[in-house]
Amino acid sequence: MFMATIVGLTGGIGSGKSTVAAMLSDRGAVVIDADRTAHEVYAAGSEGFDAVVERFGRSVVGADGEIDRMVLGSVVFNDRQALQDLNAIIHPLVRTEVARRVAAAIDEDPDAVIVIEAALMTETGWAGGSGTMWVVITEPDIAVARLVEYRGMEEAEARLRMSTQADNATRRRHADQVIENNGSIDDLEAEVNAAWLRLQESIEAATG
């Protein structure tokens, strides 16, 4: 019997969620990056573009005619209502597009393990149906240090962005599988290996 497995993968900014997604891809999972999809659904000429410009004005449009994500980010991360308005525009479009990509992946491989990577899955609700939610957890000070070192953020900006997301206690309550990422890349690899093995065992038990 064919049965695709859906995994929702989330984690706060600086948690290493994308690194975990890459590791899962290496193990054969089909990864759908909902955060990247979010940028695509407000590309110039799209319904999302028109809605964002209507709400935030032409000042968020760059010289290339696309939404300037840095400018838009500077607006919404300093205004909770603006962030809520942006999410209300973008999230329904992202859900529709992610659902389309999931269906396409299942058509291609009915037995696929499909990982939907999304930063705000805890905050907006896990829409994976009977799927399972994996959460990458990193202590806040470690996440901030990574953002400063690897993304060049100011500490205040990093903490501001983190404040708009769920805290680790909330993430743990929503998680079916927690992946701790407070150490080295080898430590993270071991966490992912263990989680992947448990997933494979659960798939075998469900289909055997």
Side-chain angles (χ1 to χ4, degrees):
M1 180 179 69
F2 294 117
M3 186 171 63
T5 300
I6 310 295
V7 174
L9 175 66
T10 192
I13 185 171
S15 66
K17 167 179 57 66
S18 295
T19 301
V20 171
M23 290 178 177
L24 293 173
S25 178
D26 289 343
R27 287 158 175 78
V30 176
V31 176
I32 298 172
D33 187 341
D35 299 327
R36 182 174 298 172
T37 303
H39 304 151
E40 295 170 359
V41 299
Y42 59 70
S46 69
E47 173 189 351
F49 178 93
D50 292 341
V52 169
V53 172
E54 180 179 356
R55 167 61 180 84
F56 297 100
R58 296 293 305 182
S59 63
V60 300
V61 180
D64 61 356
E66 298 285 350
I67 300 295
D68 187 321
R69 289 167 50 202
M70 293 294 290
V71 173
L72 183 61
S74 69
V75 173
V76 301
F77 287 113
N78 288 287
D79 183 335
R80 287 187 180 272
Q81 184 58 56
L83 181 59
Q84 290 175 9
D85 291 347
L86 179 63
N87 288 340
I89 293 168
I90 299 301
H91 288 163
L93 298 173
V94 172
R95 286 176 183 269
T96 298
E97 178 58 22
V98 167
R100 186 193 68 78
R101 296 184 187 188
V102 168
I106 293 173
D107 284 344
E108 184 171 336
D109 179 5
D111 244 1
V113 175
I114 302 169
V115 174
I116 303 171
E117 178 191 355
L120 299 181
M121 198 168 285
T122 303
E123 295 83 349
T124 62
W126 166 221
S130 59
T132 182
M133 181 187 280
W134 290 18
V135 177
V136 185
I137 297 290
T138 300
E139 291 304 312
D141 287 346
I142 294 175
V144 168
R146 289 174 182 161
L147 293 168
V148 170
E149 180 175 358
Y150 298 116
R151 296 199 198 177
M153 284 188 184
E154 296 292 331
E155 180 177 341
E157 178 189 2
R159 293 192 183 277
L160 176 63
R161 295 208 176 198
M162 289 172 63
S163 73
T164 68
Q165 300 182 343
D167 60 24
N168 284 342
T170 302
R171 292 191 184 98
R172 288 182 189 278
R173 286 198 299 271
H174 287 82
D176 298 299
Q177 171 71 58
V178 172
I179 296 176
E180 305 284 354
N181 185 23
N182 295 303
S184 68
I185 194 70
D186 289 339
D187 294 334
L188 181 59
E189 192 93 41
E191 286 273 326
V192 172
N193 275 336
W196 182 256
L197 178 60
R198 285 191 289 271
L199 180 65
Q200 295 303 311
E201 290 173 345
S202 69
I203 291 171
E204 290 177 9
T207 58

